[in-house]
Amino acid sequence: MRDVAVVSFAQSPCQAANRRDDMADILLPVIREAVYAAGIGRDDVDFVVSGSHDFYEGRTFSYIESLDAVGAWPPISESHVESDAAWALAEAWSWLQLGEGDIALVYGIGRGSLPADLDQVVPAQLDPYFLAPLAPHRDAIAGLQAHAAIEAGLTSEQGMAEVVVRCLDAATGNPLAQRSGQVDVARLLDAPYVSSPLREHDVAPIGDAAAVVVLAADDAARRLAERPAWVRGLDHRMDTHYPGVRDLTTSPSTRRAVGRAAELAGFTTSDVDIAELHTEYSHQEAILTNALELNGAVVNPSGGPLAGRPVTATGLIRIGEAARQIRDGNADRALAHATSGQALQQNLVCLLEGDG
Amino acid sequence: MTEPITTMPSPFRMDYTYVAGTGRSVFLRGLAERRLMARCCAGCEQVYLPPPEFCSRCLRELEPPFELDGRGVVSTFCVVSFPFPGQRIDPPYVVAHIQPHGAGTRLMHLVREVEPEDVHIGMAVEPVWVSDDELDTSLLSIRHFRPVHYGGADA
Amino acid sequence: MSRRVAVTGVGQSKQAKRREVSIGAMVREAVTEAMADAELTFADIDAVVLSKTPDLFDGVMNPELYLADAMGAVGLPVTRVFTGGSVGGHAAIFGAHLVQAGLAERVLVVAYSKESEGNFTWALSRGLPFSAPLGAGAGGHFAPVIREYIRRSGAPEHIGWQVAVNHRLNAVRNPYAHVHRPDITVEEVRDSRMLWDPIRYLESCPSSDGSCAIVVTGEEHAGHTPRPSAWIHGMAWRTETGHFAGRDEVNPVAGQQCAADAYRQAGIDDPAAQVDVAELYIPYSWYEPIWLENIGLAEVGGGWKLVEDGRTMFDGALPVNPSGGVLSGNPTGATGLLRFAEAALQVRGLAGEHQVDARRAIGHAMGGASQFHALWVVGSEKPEAAW
Ligand SMILES: [Zn+2]
């Protein structure tokens, strides 16, 4: 395996609704920041791969608009995933293993604010014959999962509120967070349910942002970053689709992904100092912590998705944030997690390490 | 016994808010004033019409907007010859790629006031704007392009 | 890290308006056939790649989630690729990359579209915000490019009609093809309705439902079945921006570079002489000479002469789209992968009635405004060296 590292990461501020900038205007300054931070020019990039989704943008081929922003001239080697850009990073990491190039640019852009009502959009992610026609509320399946998690003794409404308090407090140190501040558990528990047992604060606030990660291999990584965040292991797995068939209190795909990632990395999650988890709901932290067998790691020091969830960029931001902790010397080993689908159906795990 | 279920309608309705962006809104506002606003990149001298906010080649902000008169040439075209849903005019009609003078990019628009068989690649064309009360922040403020008739202001 | 990679399984569904099966069942048809061809069970598969054109076309968002079970993908890594019409080619190449990089031993690449299930017109006619609704329609983009090709090359107008006839006659040999018109004639194409002048109705692709799947494996796992493998000799993808001054959409540089890179890997220096058959992404008949020139199978301006001389017909020296191609069936999400899969079938000698004599074949896919290009060269012989 080639050694591949995150050498640079940038993101735009998470905004509930950015009505000033179009896709290109959100994305280009972030690409510029990430590329310049790595000390390279656009033409030094050997491979570009991105993640976005037409259902959020409300038009077909929306990804071509973002690509025009990146500029593909002279022609580039390029690919795209129609899902969270963490999967784009996985593709870039695979591509760098081929040895055909040394530097890959990964970007994710998502605007959750464009759909007038996400309840119209989110059910389209379900089986079109049996589930989508039920048109469940966007948080309904997560509510079922939260309830099951509480019943299983994994967490409680109090415990979920405590996760939110911790994340929003951590987010006060993150100027790009959408939501942050000191709140108290009792006040949170006074709020009404949106999809019981979930309250508004339990739901990661959807919004708009772009994120960009520059990956580099071997000597290029050592040249471009003082302390590269080496991707030591990466894997992703899928669970069955049907919520009625799954045990929603566990995440077998996460467990499998972390097992494989740890095998590649040569270290386990008990060795990681920090973990950035793609928690779309507060109760999912308990499920993921179990599946990942996290032991003492600081979870979501950036504030995590509960402080801001730009669709299709949130997972990539987890990897960028975990890498930042290593590059800044705050951690030697870090874990990043990304998810796609309802109630954690598909999960990705990335293990990162700094030079000793 | 019972009829099998072969199809099940599952209607979705989805509404979206589209964001124009600062770069594009300069162009759209210009259209409402019968002005085609372009912007140039100081790095590579590319002139964008419509202009975004940034040059994708050079990753830098474009220079302030300036106006083009919209005259240009047909770089290529096709004749839409059959009816289909969503059409606003009866076929046949000409949809062309127009290369405005001074712009580095092409616009797609209708070419009218000429028989389709007389349209040719390289033909000089100019925009025909809608009347004052129809002007809007949309490319439809240009009703269509038509051949330029040289030899007189309105000949 | 790099190693030899082969296609050992190919499956596809009938292309048609498939109202009698669900999306999952239609996908499963291709998957089952590919797995049976490769003589594998789902436990042997390490990763799945799904190719699909816009989700808005058939109304299922992130279909990789719903299809996890139908693709046998539960417990596996699944990547959902989307790069416009070339996506099937991109997916095949990404699957092969996973094997080549040693990250997987056997990868299942799946592709489909079921546009009869969605309101296609609705999805396309939503209009792009901020651009004028000109009523150009689907072919309105390609027709001006074709006009420019004809102007430059001086090709006579019957070339487009002849390609349409060639491909439809080929399709008669392919039971999976959507369009079967054994009696088609040049006169019939010429007299068919003009859609986007210069494109006539019978020079256009249909809209089809359909699926395709392939299994790619590392060298160690090829040769375990009685059926031969298709060896990947070279593969590449390239993308270029859609709109800028001086862009040549008739002969896009990205397409030229994509082919050149794949030929370099395959050790090909005279593609027209060293390739036996090509499955090209030809949604409108004039794209046969356009792509022949773009990917170096004909000299610039001379692609139409290969058609004129009958060289690209079924029994010609360089048959193009013996399967019938996109003109005979177009499930958009699967169309690119079908070209790659058909190339593999030809060098494996498993193309049935539409088999031609082929040791080396090209699979090609294109998307967007001729912005996305993917191409692979497959051969019946194991390549001399891994790249
Ligand atoms: Zn520039």
Side-chain angles (χ1 to χ4, degrees):
Chain A
M1 300 270 298
R2 290 185 95 194
D3 290 327
V4 170
V6 175
V7 296
S8 153
F9 164 59
Q11 75 167 89
S12 66
C14 293
Q15 293 185 270
N18 183 338
R19 293 290 182 256
R20 193 180 68 102
D21 304 309
D22 66 5
M23 213 176 189
D25 293 354
I26 295 176
L27 186 56
L28 252 170
V30 187
I31 289 179
R32 182 167 58 186
E33 186 185 338
V35 164
Y36 287 4
I40 56 173
R42 203 187 70 92
D43 293 341
D44 296 317
V45 174
D46 300 309
F47 181 53
V48 175
V49 57
S50 58
S52 63
H53 205 290
D54 282 349
F55 263 82
Y56 290 117
E57 297 290 327
R59 48 170 294 198
T60 52
F61 300 103
S62 58
Y63 123 83
I64 295 179
E65 185 182 335
S66 76
L67 195 64
D68 280 347
V70 177
W73 187 258
I76 58 173
S77 178
E78 184 267 343
S79 189
H80 173 81
V81 299
E82 192 80 349
S83 54
D84 191 287
W87 275 263
L89 184 134
E91 183 167 348
W93 176 72
S94 312
W95 188 87
L96 287 167
Q97 296 303 328
L98 299 174
E100 291 177 11
D102 295 325
I103 299 174
L105 178 90
V106 186
Y107 68 84
I109 176 142
R111 295 189 289 175
S113 79
L114 299 190
D117 180 358
L118 281 167
D119 289 341
Q120 295 171 331
V121 174
V122 174
Q125 234 181 21
L126 297 165
D127 177 319
Y129 310 102
F130 292 148
L131 298 174
L134 302 172
H137 174 271
R138 73 185 86 154
D139 301 317
I141 292 171
L144 296 175
Q145 185 182 40
H147 199 131
I150 291 171
E151 284 294 306
L154 290 176
T155 184
S156 61
E157 292 182 35
Q158 166 98 16
M160 286 152 56
E162 284 166 2
V163 166
V164 175
V165 167
R166 196 198 73 237
C167 285
L168 295 184
D169 184 43
T172 56
N174 179 356
L176 304 177
Q178 186 170 324
R179 203 183 259 181
S180 64
Q182 261 94 34
V183 286
D184 66 78
V185 170
R187 236 189 67 215
L188 291 184
L189 289 174
D190 275 345
Y193 292 120
V194 292
S195 173
S196 90
L198 299 169
R199 298 177 170 85
E200 197 212 342
H201 59 258
D202 294 309
V203 181
I206 285 182
D208 308 341
V212 177
V213 166
V214 178
L215 289 180
D218 295 336
D219 288 346
R222 293 181 190 96
R223 193 176 75 239
L224 299 180
E226 206 162 307
R227 186 172 151 87
W230 299 104
V231 177
R232 296 296 191 206
L234 190 153
D235 194 54
H236 55 94
R237 300 283 161 168
M238 178 77 87
D239 285 320
T240 185
H241 177 64
Y242 299 93
V245 176
R246 295 164 54 195
D247 173 357
L248 294 176
T249 66
T250 64
S251 182
S253 56
T254 303
R255 197 173 280 278
R256 231 174 138 151
V258 76
R260 171 70 179 149
E263 195 180 301
L264 290 169
F267 61 86
T268 70
T269 52
S270 55
D271 300 322
V272 306
D273 306 312
I274 72 110
E276 281 283 342
L277 307 184
H278 188 159
T279 46
E280 297 188 340
Y281 300 90
S282 61
H283 70 272
Q284 291 177 339
E285 185 175 303
I287 296 169
L288 291 168
T289 304
N290 268 358
L292 295 165
E293 298 182 20
L294 286 176
N295 184 7
V298 176
V299 173
N300 288 351
S302 69
L306 291 168
R309 181 195 160 195
V311 290
T312 60
T314 304
L316 183 64
I317 290 173
R318 305 280 70 73
I319 298 171
E321 284 290 350
R324 183 204 303 283
Q325 296 289 341
I326 288 175
R327 296 184 49 236
D328 290 352
N330 299 328
D332 292 322
R333 285 168 172 166
L335 177 148
H337 159 266
T339 196
S340 177
Q342 298 283 302
L344 301 171
Q345 190 192 334
Q346 191 184 16
N347 295 281
L348 178 148
V349 175
C350 177
L351 289 169
L352 299 132
E353 184 179 38
D355 285 319
Chain B
M1 298 279 258
T2 46
E3 282 292 304
I5 295 166
T6 52
T7 60
M8 45 184 290
S10 182
F12 281 102
R13 182 191 164 82
M14 294 179 199
D15 304 290
Y16 292 89
T17 305
Y18 295 110
V19 176
T22 46
R24 198 188 271 119
S25 43
V26 170
F27 178 72
L28 295 173
R29 279 203 210 94
L31 290 171
E33 299 166 3
R34 292 200 180 88
R35 286 147 61 92
L36 280 171
M37 304 307 292
R39 291 171 77 180
C40 180
C41 172
C44 63
E45 297 184 348
Q46 166 77 297
V47 177
Y48 289 91
L49 182 79
E53 187 65 13
F54 300 90
C55 174
S56 58
R57 273 293 297 142
C58 311
L59 300 176
R60 61 191 285 170
E61 278 87 349
L62 299 177
E63 299 300 299
F66 62 95
E67 190 175 345
L68 294 177
D69 69 6
R71 288 191 174 202
V73 296
V74 171
S75 65
T76 184
F77 67 99
C78 74
V79 186
V80 179
S81 305
F82 70 112
F84 56 84
Q87 277 176 329
R88 297 181 307 124
I89 39 182
D90 292 332
Y93 52 91
V94 173
V95 175
H97 293 176
I98 291 150
Q99 180 76 62
H101 295 309
T105 55
R106 298 189 302 189
L107 285 177
M108 200 160 160
H109 219 300
L110 304 167
V111 173
R112 307 199 75 185
E113 300 185 37
V114 56
E115 290 304 317
E117 57 266 32
D118 293 332
V119 176
H120 58 268
I121 292 173
M123 173 183 257
V125 291
E126 64 187 2
V128 177
W129 297 87
V130 298
S131 60
D132 284 358
D133 56 323
E134 290 174 280
L135 281 173
D136 196 4
T137 51
S138 152
L139 263 176
L140 294 181
S141 286
I142 297 175
R143 200 187 299 280
H144 53 257
F145 282 74
R146 69 175 174 202
V148 180
H149 301 288
Y150 291 103
D154 262 347
Chain C
M1 199 52 58
S2 288
R3 58 170 169 169
R4 296 183 183 95
V5 184
V7 179
T8 60
V10 172
Q12 55 184 305
S13 78
K14 169 73 185 167
Q15 299 158 34
K17 185 173 179 178
R18 299 292 308 277
R19 279 292 177 89
E20 80 287 5
V21 286
S22 66
I23 294 173
M26 189 187 73
V27 166
R28 187 72 171 207
E29 288 176 15
V31 168
T32 303
E33 207 177 279
M35 295 292 285
D37 184 12
E39 297 189 16
L40 296 176
T41 67
F42 287 121
D44 299 314
I45 298 295
D46 299 316
V48 175
V49 181
L50 176 63
S51 151
K52 172 75 182 66
T53 35
D55 291 1
L56 282 165
F57 280 3
D58 33 26
V60 184
M61 179 180 185
N62 296 115
E64 68 277 12
L65 300 168
Y66 147 65
L67 289 171
D69 301 84
M71 298 189 297
V74 171
L76 295 180
V78 179
T79 307
R80 160 67 194 292
V81 179
F82 173 52
T83 57
S86 73
V87 57
H90 270 75
I93 291 174
F94 178 53
H97 280 168
L98 288 172
V99 175
Q100 195 187 348
L103 294 169
E105 297 302 311
R106 302 176 193 87
V107 178
L108 176 67
V109 183
V110 184
Y112 81 98
S113 269
K114 201 156 190 290
E115 282 147 15
S116 77
E117 207 132 311
N119 189 333
F120 199 33
T121 317
W122 174 83
L124 275 182
S125 67
R126 284 175 72 77
L128 304 179
F130 319 119
S131 60
L134 302 175
H141 183 84
F142 296 100
V145 181
I146 289 169
R147 179 178 301 277
E148 171 65 11
Y149 172 78
I150 294 170
R151 188 192 66 82
R152 278 190 210 174
S153 67
E157 59 183 349
H158 69 263
I159 294 298
W161 310 333
Q162 185 63 53
V163 170
V165 168
N166 292 352
H167 291 205
R168 266 47 171 273
L169 290 178
N170 292 350
V172 176
R173 300 167 178 271
N174 178 5
Y176 296 107
H178 187 174
V179 175
H180 282 143
R181 299 180 76 112
D183 305 321
I184 193 166
T185 62
V186 165
E187 293 69 32
E188 197 182 352
V189 179
R190 182 194 64 202
D191 296 340
S192 68
R193 184 171 202 181
M194 186 63 88
L195 303 181
W196 299 273
D197 193 344
I199 300 177
R200 289 182 182 274
Y201 173 71
L202 284 175
E203 294 177 286
S204 309
C205 58
S207 171
S208 318
D209 300 339
S211 59
C212 180
I214 64 170
V215 175
V216 287
T217 70
E219 177 176 9
E220 308 85 325
H221 311 289
H224 288 190
T225 75
R227 286 172 299 285
S229 302
W231 294 93
I232 301 173
H233 289 219
M235 55 186 164
W237 53 35
R238 286 293 185 282
T239 297
E240 72 184 36
T241 303
H243 303 283
F244 60 88
R247 176 166 188 244
D248 184 354
E249 207 175 321
V250 173
N251 192 1
V253 176
Q256 298 171 30
Q257 291 186 356
C258 178
D261 190 13
Y263 298 152
R264 177 187 56 75
Q265 295 166 34
I268 289 176
D269 47 25
D270 182 2
Q274 292 168 286
V275 170
D276 303 311
V277 58
E279 279 282 343
L280 310 181
Y281 199 110
I282 299 168
Y284 300 100
S285 56
W286 278 98
Y287 273 85
E288 177 165 312
I290 289 174
W291 293 143
L292 284 173
E293 294 175 27
N294 185 236
I295 65 172
L297 292 176
E299 61 186 42
V300 173
W304 64 270
K305 291 171 193 154
L306 269 61
V307 179
E308 176 91 327
D309 296 345
R311 292 170 62 85
T312 59
M313 292 172 77
F314 189 78
D315 50 8
L318 178 62
V320 172
N321 291 5
S323 69
V326 191
L327 287 174
S328 308
N330 185 29
T332 58
T335 298
L337 187 61
L338 280 165
R339 305 282 75 70
F340 278 53
E342 285 286 352
L345 285 174
Q346 288 291 346
V347 297
R348 296 174 73 203
L350 298 176
E353 288 286 301
H354 62 285
Q355 180 71 50
V356 299
D357 187 17
R359 284 177 58 247
R360 205 135 53 160
I362 285 174
H364 163 268
M366 176 281 297
S370 302
Q371 293 164 265
F372 305 98
H373 301 260
L375 185 145
W376 79 9
V377 179
V378 286
S380 55
E381 306 290 325
K382 201 184 281 193
E384 277 175 23
W387 306 291

